[in-house]
Amino acid sequence: MPIRVRLGVMLAERNVKSKDLAEYVGITEANLSLLRQGKVKGVRFETIERICQFLNCQPGDLLRYEEGSPPDGDVEEKQ
C-alpha cells in the first residue's frame, strides 16, 4: 500500500508508550498495534485527532504517501 503509517516512529521520537497513547485515545492496545503496523483499512478522524493531541503532531507526521509502492493485494503478473 502506498500509504505508510509512521506512528511507531512518532512514539519512539517522543519516548511514549503505546499503552499510554491507547488509554488517552480510548482504543485498545491491540487496535493501536494494528494501526501502528499499517494493518487497518480505515481510521476515524477523531482517532487521528486524539493521537495528534497526545503526540503534539500533525496528521501528516503520522501518514506518508510513497509513490510507486504497489497497493496491498496487487500482484504483478509474470509473462
Side-chain angles (χ1 to χ4, degrees):
M1 179 193 300
I3 300 294
R4 299 289 178 223
V5 179
R6 298 185 67 249
L7 182 55
V9 173
M10 296 301 296
L11 290 169
E13 286 179 356
R14 286 167 170 66
N15 199 27
V16 172
K17 294 180 183 177
S18 293
K19 179 180 178 180
D20 296 333
L21 178 59
E23 186 177 314
Y24 180 85
V25 173
I27 61 175
T28 66
E29 289 182 65
N31 282 339
L32 184 64
S33 178
L34 290 172
L35 176 58
R36 191 176 64 235
Q37 295 172 47
K39 293 186 177 183
V40 297
K41 294 295 180 185
V43 60
R44 294 175 185 245
F45 283 138
E46 180 182 348
T47 301
I48 294 173
E49 181 181 345
R50 297 283 290 168
I51 291 170
C52 288
Q53 286 172 347
F54 192 81
L55 297 177
N56 191 30
C57 68
Q58 295 294 314
D61 297 328
L62 301 173
L63 304 171
R64 288 282 191 266
Y65 174 75
E66 294 182 3
E67 195 170 336
S69 297
D72 285 346
D74 282 3
V75 178
E76 292 184 29
E77 271 187 44
K78 294 185 179 184
Q79 296 180 355

